[in-house]
Amino acid sequence: MSDHAVLAEAIQKRYGERGGKYALDGFDLAVGRGTVHGLLGPNGAGKTTAVRVLATLLRFDGGRAEVAGVDVARDPRRVRSRVGLAGQYAAVDEILTGRQNLEMFGRLFHLGGRRAALRAGELLEQFDLVEAGGKGVGEYSGGMRRRLDLAASMILAPQVLFLDEPTTGLDPRGRGEVWDAVRALVAGGTTVLLTTQYLDEADKLASRITVIDQGRAIADDSPAELKNTVGGDRIEVVVAEPADIPVAVEAVARVADAAVETDGAARRVHAAVSDRVAALTEVARTLQDRGTAVEDIGLRRPSLDDVFLRLTGRRTGADADADAGSGGGTDRGPDGDVATGVKEGMAA
């Protein structure tokens, strides 16, 4: 058995006739079993298209893909029996109760009434929704709806779960609830491929991250190693008065490994350092001896946002501007329609 739950080699997907734009243009991906693998990219980079191809909801034009040990092009029906998919918005019926939603999805997956009811009970317990199971989904919080949506995608206990921006629009509490649910799934052996524009989400959940831009993977590594490509630790000082910036520059220059950078508007001085603790101690002592008032001083690690900016020349986030790729942040198809009804499509 391969160590990878998902493999993609040189995948191509073009929208439109000849001369149409390639949403995926030689895309490669390798996802280890029993892990969370993050897929990051600017709006329109091809993230959702890649997920829809791997989940058999879109046919691809070239390359090779294998999911849960099954060739996607040769046996898409068998792939569907081994995967689950949750799109950007919860695909649950607000009129029905949580339990009724899960039983309905169970029937769509041909479990039969009795098995669907049993599976609904198991999932309500697994996702901490037992008490809410008898309530209408319209009464659920955003986080509860997303957890119910995840539960519905797990009806057949899939080996691989595709999560396409699962916390879009949720408040911090709701996002935390979804993160806890994802961690529990992986602890149980499920492999998760996660697309997200929240970089802190990928940082907290994913053991490995692939960055995609213009339909190609441009980086693939652990979050820590990706950050290391930007540089090591930086010491950062924010002084209380603009007149104290030269003093801070002098103090930081004594311990810096590279040129000292300043931001006059923010009264901020920063530079790369190697001996992080010694550098912080030395700068703090110098500023104290000089009587310099400091609003903030500390060591900063590069963030995934810094990595993203270095790799793509852009920053990303939930409020990123729409890109000119395959139709914006949702990687729309040729008719501009978003990936909806995914669970129904997987059940067909």
Side-chain angles (χ1 to χ4, degrees):
M1 180 180 293
S2 171
D3 290 335
H4 295 107
V6 178
L7 279 172
E9 298 174 347
I11 295 295
Q12 291 184 317
K13 173 59 185 176
R14 180 173 61 195
Y15 287 126
E17 302 298 328
R18 287 186 178 181
K21 180 174 178 60
Y22 277 98
L24 297 176
D25 188 12
F27 175 65
D28 297 312
L29 180 69
V31 179
R33 293 183 181 275
T35 66
V36 178
H37 192 111
L39 184 59
L40 306 181
N43 287 337
K47 301 185 299 295
T48 296
T49 297
V51 168
R52 297 186 74 187
V53 163
L54 294 169
T56 76
L57 296 178
L58 282 177
R59 293 183 179 178
F60 52 99
D61 302 310
R64 177 179 175 273
E66 186 177 288
V67 176
V70 181
D71 189 284
V72 172
R74 293 179 182 176
D75 201 348
R77 183 178 294 272
R78 196 155 148 240
V79 170
R80 292 187 196 114
S81 71
R82 300 186 178 196
V83 304
L85 191 154
Q88 295 178 25
Y89 303 99
V92 291
D93 192 314
E94 294 190 1
I95 298 175
L96 300 179
T97 67
R99 180 178 291 277
Q100 288 170 337
N101 266 279
L102 294 179
E103 291 182 1
M104 176 186 68
F105 282 118
R107 288 175 176 271
L108 286 172
F109 280 98
H110 314 294
L111 292 185
R114 187 168 181 275
R115 287 184 61 202
L118 289 173
R119 184 60 178 150
E122 293 171 354
L123 290 168
L124 288 172
E125 184 173 355
Q126 181 178 351
F127 285 85
D128 195 23
L129 290 169
V130 173
E131 292 185 8
K135 297 180 181 178
V137 174
E139 301 178 38
Y140 283 22
S141 67
M144 290 169 66
R145 291 186 193 193
R146 273 320 244 156
R147 278 154 51 204
L148 181 65
D149 193 49
L150 289 177
S153 68
M154 295 294 293
I155 290 288
L156 296 184
Q159 298 177 36
V160 178
L161 178 61
F162 298 104
L163 296 183
D164 189 13
E165 301 191 19
T167 59
T168 296
L170 294 185
D171 60 24
R173 179 178 178 179
R175 292 176 70 200
E177 291 175 352
V178 173
W179 293 352
D180 288 343
V182 171
R183 292 186 183 104
L185 291 176
V186 175
T190 301
T191 300
V192 173
L193 178 61
L194 168 75
T195 77
T196 181
Q197 291 196 60
Y198 296 114
L199 298 184
D200 62 325
E201 182 165 87
D203 205 357
K204 287 180 171 65
L205 291 177
S207 58
R208 197 169 187 88
I209 289 173
T210 297
V211 181
I212 180 174
D213 195 17
Q214 298 182 2
R216 295 185 178 185
I218 59 174
D220 183 282
D221 215 324
S222 68
E225 288 303 316
L226 287 175
K227 293 174 191 176
N228 286 339
T229 64
V230 177
D233 296 304
R234 301 183 70 82
I235 189 167
E236 186 175 287
V237 177
V238 178
V239 294
E241 300 294 337
D244 289 328
I245 290 178
V247 178
V249 169
E250 179 185 341
V252 171
R254 293 178 182 177
V255 299
D257 292 336
V260 178
E261 300 178 45
T262 63
D263 181 344
R267 306 184 307 279
R268 184 168 67 102
V269 177
H270 57 104
V273 296
S274 53
D275 192 339
R276 55 202 311 267
V277 175
L280 181 61
T281 302
E282 175 66 20
V283 170
R285 181 184 297 115
T286 299
L287 293 174
Q288 184 177 33
D289 291 344
R290 297 286 294 272
T292 304
V294 173
E295 286 190 357
D296 185 32
I297 182 171
L299 293 164
R300 307 287 185 257
R301 291 282 294 160
S303 67
L304 283 181
D305 199 53
D306 296 323
V307 173
F308 211 86
L309 181 62
R310 172 72 64 86
L311 292 172
T312 70
R314 288 165 279 179
R315 294 193 180 276
T316 189
D319 58 349
D321 292 332
D323 195 37
S326 54
T330 49
D331 298 319
R332 299 171 190 264
D335 300 317
D337 49 325
V338 183
T340 57
V342 289
K343 294 184 183 62
E344 292 84 346
M346 299 298 292

